[in-house]
Amino acid sequence: MDAAVGESYALLIYACVKLRRLDQAFVHFDTMVRRGLEPDPRVFAALLKGCGRARQLKRGERFFESLLDANAAGARSATAYNALINMYSHQKQRPATLLPHEVSNAWRAVDRMREAGVAPDEARRPTAPCAPGGRGAGWGGVERADPSTPLPGGR
């Protein structure tokens, strides 16, 4: 299939997520896969983001697990794992009000990311675990490539 067609599907899925039409986004994803087009991590990230925004965390978890089970290309990427981690920050209207037990799912995703040997993307460090009650201080214990680099806010 033509790469432009795959990109069109990716943009269509992203638009559906942005418009909060998650079911339609998954229909387009299924069609994309059935047509033999290989979605990239951006598509996975958009769908996971949509699951978070719709507060359908179990659906997002099942989707992510299905990607891993199918050994989908890009499922074990920093982009996909970061989207899974970020999905948990959307379980409430205001992420700053996440409670420790709500943040624990994001931390489990960070641990799984490390266990899979996927390094955090320095440009998009997972921030959901840093909510009040998160594990550790500052970036919530996420290791930095260069600890001498100051974090936002001078921490």
Side-chain angles (χ1 to χ4, degrees):
M1 287 276 166
D2 185 44
V5 175
E7 184 65 18
S8 294
Y9 269 101
L11 293 171
L12 185 58
I13 290 166
Y14 180 76
C16 288
V17 167
K18 196 84 165 145
L19 294 170
R20 300 188 190 278
R21 295 182 169 198
L22 186 58
D23 291 337
Q24 192 63 39
F26 273 103
V27 167
H28 293 306
F29 176 79
D30 291 340
T31 302
M32 181 183 193
V33 171
R34 265 196 321 277
R35 290 187 68 184
L37 300 169
E38 191 170 299
D40 64 22
R42 295 173 307 136
V43 172
F44 307 150
L47 290 166
L48 289 167
K49 182 177 189 173
C51 289
R53 285 186 171 170
R55 292 170 187 71
Q56 296 182 21
L57 303 182
K58 293 296 182 200
R59 183 180 195 179
E61 290 167 350
R62 285 191 308 269
F63 174 65
F64 189 74
E65 290 303 320
S66 73
L67 295 174
L68 295 178
D69 290 345
N71 215 13
R76 288 176 173 82
S77 68
T79 300
Y81 274 100
N82 286 341
L84 177 68
I85 294 162
N86 189 43
M87 177 183 78
Y88 293 108
S89 71
H90 293 286
Q91 59 190 297
K92 287 187 172 178
Q93 287 286 3
R94 296 176 44 187
T97 63
L98 291 175
L99 300 173
H101 73 276
E102 294 165 329
V103 177
S104 64
N105 289 325
W107 277 115
R108 276 194 287 282
V110 170
D111 292 340
R112 288 182 64 191
M113 182 178 184
R114 286 187 181 137
E115 290 166 7
V118 178
D121 179 353
E122 287 298 313
R124 298 195 59 196
R125 295 181 211 172
T127 56
C130 301
R135 186 167 74 185
W139 284 91
V142 174
E143 297 168 15
R144 293 176 279 153
D146 180 4
S148 66
T149 304
L151 294 170
R155 290 182 256 159

